[in-house]
Amino acid sequence: MASGSDRNPIIIGGLPSQVPDFDPEETQEWLDSLDAAVDERGRERARYLMLRLIERAREKRVAVPEMRSTDYVNTIATKDEPFFPGNEEIERKVLNATRWNAAVMVSRAQRPGIGVGGHIATFASSASLYDVGFNHFFRGKDEGDGGDQIFFQGHASPGVYARAYLLDRLSESQLDAFRQEKSKAPNGLSSYPHPRLMPDFWEFPTVSMGLGPLGAIYQARMNRYMEARGIADTSKSHVWAYLGDGEMDEPESLGQLSIAAREGLDNLTFVVNCNLQRLDGPVRGNGKIMQELESQFRGAGWNVIKLVWDRSWDPLLAQDRDGILVNKLNSTPDGQFQTYATETGGYIRDHFFGDDQRLRAMVENMTDDQILHLGRGGHDHKKIYAAYAAAKAHKGQPTVILAQTVKGWTLGPNFEGRNATHQMKKLTVEDLKGFRDRLHLPIPDKDLEDGAPPYYHPGRDSEEIQYMHDRRKGLGGYVPTRVVRAEPLQLPDDKAYAGAKKGSGQQKIATTMAFVRVLKDLMRDKEIGKRFVPIAPDEYRTFGMDAFFPSAKIYNPLGQQYESVDRELLLAYKESPTGQMLHDGITEAGCTASLIAAGSAYATHGEPLIPVYVFYSMFGFQRTGDQFWQMADQLARGFVLGATAGRTTLTGEGLQHADGHSQLLASTNPACVAYDPAYGYEIAHIVKDGLRRMYGENSEDIFYYLTVYNEPILHPAEPADADVEGILKGLHRVRPGEKGEHTAQILASGVAVPWAVEAQQILADEWNVKADVWSATSWNELRRDAVEIEEHNLLHPEEEQRVPYVTQKLQGAEGPKVAVSDWMRSVPDQIARWVPGTYQSLGADGFGFADTRGAARRFFHIDAQSIVLGVLTELAKEGKVDRSLLKQAIDRYQLLDVAAADAGEAGGDA
């Protein structure tokens, strides 16, 4: 065994210097005893004694530091393995059939004329890990609850399909439609786990690597949250996340381990398939990824189970009295183990066992073939079962199982352990024959030599197929399966929105606060109030939501075990095991994972939750945009609030906080319904319609994104003739022009609407121009409507041609159209081609910066005076006014001097 500098230190930095030695003589006796053990019995015996002392100290509740990592052997000793309740022979036959069909499906998908490929090697390495789960652990949904939630590793999807085929859940024609989702519809199978593409099969999208582990942690937490609040009984649900060791390089994979440990999520198990390879090479060629991950998970407070070697190693390890074999295992780097997976038994004898006579003696009675088949633990059903059973039994901590495998295992020498195996999609005839022989399948040579290789099914009445069905029946049904049992919610009537429709009177409030007031009224509703899940990344006070603290409280499974520093304040910080608010800390990624878990609860557990995630606008679609795609893919629903939106509203924060493009990013997500409202009554109608579309009859798999601002403005009451259809479709007129010789139209969104109203007054008073002001509540929805209509017209030329909503709305509006917002011009430019007449946009293109609101808007030329210039410019182009007026306007308003602008409204966090 390694010693001294060859071994990782148990205590980093030495002994604790502040602990006094009250009995130096006794201390010296202990040290002398250790020295004697080293001198008389050797370092390895002394090391063993020290480890046993540490173990006994823990048994006696003596606090000792955790070791960062343990030896490179199985955590569960052979003597401690439980009885394996399955029929291993039958399970091996099942697995062999699954392995064959998974590989053949990918190979057939790579046939000439198709060439869509797939991945073979990942499932080949993890097949046994899944099989034990399917046969003995994964709970289905037939008992009426949510069953287990399983995050399958994306690249292993062929194996899941192959197993479903054996169970008659998928047909041969469906396997042949792998990765041909449209051309072979409705039989097409998605490349990876995609609930949106296969909504009755997959539950969780996982192939955007790193998001699977993050999502699994927050799914396990959401299960506890729902149970604590009495919404659903999730006590039987266990969350399993299957991950790759290369995937653990993603920061999202390890970034939120602490919350799982902190909240004691023993309903969560990570299974990391350590095949030692990334996509193109070793994960840690010169190191040991299992040891590295063990230290990281242990440090984060997880229970770690290492599953390194299969049962063929047990006799060798039993002989290892002096620890020389364990030392060799500890000191051999992963790159070398990968090489051993591709070499002969003789090579392994010479290079692994051959450099020490004691090691060589251990295997002198073994043949080269026996040495070659010294296997990895992730391929041994009994060892896997022991690890899974220990994980399920462990209490108080989440568990990670680190299972070593060989990438491409059983696929033959051209695949196993090769650096290129991830990219290899096609099996040659010789590969197929060798693969068949290894799996002992009764497939004749001629079936492999002529045409595409066949799928293998042992027969519906065969012993192994009946075994599979029986196991799934005993575990509550087939997995993966996605079921939507939730009923439509009874939604509030108009009374819940009355406050927002009254306006703000003489009080100036930001649209963030207008939304918060709507939310507060909705959370009082007896029917759906408890289903709202407010989520924020440590910014509730910033968004004016501290008013929720006393009543809704912040969720913490441990409650509040301290006196809050602000306990005497009316809006004191309050935590509770049954709290409604999720305060996830400064982690937008964690908050978005909570959003997704809550937003898909209607399917996962049959109980709808209404997440409301509020965040600094810049840190939504820019920082966590990949997760919003995950949300769309998982068919999650809810409200996403980009607060402090806009490029010029967050005056002091500067470039990194100045969001002028989230609306554009949101437009790229097909499931996202994005709005940029200006007034409280608009917000009320948008939220009401969002609840109807997401949680009412004929619910849709969408989510709502509202950008709201922190600039206080006066909110008018809803007019009697409010154009509700226009509000929801994206454009309505809020203020007609009253006087002026020339006419124009100003289209504005969000915080820019008050600037447009001010510009309207200036144009009337000083330039004889009558301008109508329109609130463009959603540039994105206007464009989406127009694109859909344009495509319909393209494909139906014989029918009466439809007209986009924005074109209809502006068809009779006279004069040029000038669009303005606190976004880059690309946002309003989305509708340019469908706007009748001349159209110009003003926007905040470029980087934001810290300054007053007035100065920033003057710099970007989007303030009221710049809007005036924009309107006059378009009128001059049409010959309605003389061009000399443009220079007059520039000079009059000092538009070239940023410092000349009025500073504008100051403050207003919410």
Side-chain angles (χ1 to χ4, degrees), residues 511-692:
T511 47
T512 300
M513 184 54 68
F515 174 86
V516 168
R517 290 180 177 181
V518 171
L519 177 61
K520 192 168 186 179
D521 289 340
L522 289 171
M523 288 176 64
R524 293 192 181 109
D525 185 82
K526 293 181 180 179
E527 295 295 331
I528 70 167
K530 70 176 184 178
R531 297 187 181 275
F532 282 94
V533 184
I535 304 167
D538 202 32
E539 292 287 355
Y540 276 125
R541 293 188 190 278
T542 299
F543 304 136
M545 298 176 72
D546 45 343
F548 293 24
F549 289 167
S551 55
K553 299 183 178 60
I554 294 161
Y555 171 71
N556 188 324
L558 301 178
Q560 189 162 329
Q561 301 176 14
Y562 60 93
E563 286 190 320
S564 173
V565 68
D566 59 1
R567 62 190 177 278
E568 296 180 0
L569 298 180
L570 180 63
L571 304 182
Y573 192 88
K574 291 187 178 180
E575 300 181 70
S576 168
T578 59
Q580 189 168 359
M581 307 170 74
L582 293 181
H583 206 190
D584 287 348
I586 306 176
T587 165
E588 283 83 8
C591 290
T592 311
S594 287
L595 164 73
I596 296 168
S600 54
Y602 73 94
T604 309
H605 292 293
E607 291 288 348
L609 294 177
I610 309 171
V612 179
Y613 172 33
V614 191
F615 53 89
Y616 263 63
S617 181
M618 188 67 152
F619 307 134
F621 273 88
Q622 174 168 301
R623 177 169 289 184
T624 55
D626 195 14
Q627 285 178 281
F628 288 125
W629 276 96
Q630 182 188 25
M631 183 177 186
D633 215 358
Q634 197 163 316
L635 311 181
R637 304 164 184 171
F639 291 95
V640 177
L641 273 293
T644 62
R647 187 143 278 163
T648 68
T649 58
L650 199 55
T651 53
E653 298 286 357
L655 182 153
Q656 290 181 325
H657 288 67
D659 178 16
H661 52 279
S662 283
Q663 280 286 342
L664 192 64
L665 296 175
S667 72
T668 66
N669 191 315
C672 178
V673 181
Y675 285 94
D676 189 33
Y679 297 131
Y681 73 86
E682 294 177 335
I683 292 173
H685 284 292
I686 291 166
V687 171
K688 180 182 178 183
D689 198 54
L691 288 173
R692 177 190 65 82

Side-chain angles (χ1 to χ4, degrees), residues 280-293:
D280 292 318
V283 179
R284 296 288 185 274
N286 291 323
K288 300 180 81 65
I289 186 60
M290 292 184 74
Q291 302 298 83
E292 182 180 319
L293 291 175

Side-chain angles (χ1 to χ4, degrees), residues 382-399:
K382 288 186 177 180
K383 301 283 187 183
I384 296 168
Y385 181 88
Y388 286 7
K392 285 293 296 288
H394 189 78
K395 299 301 179 184
Q397 291 175 290
T399 293

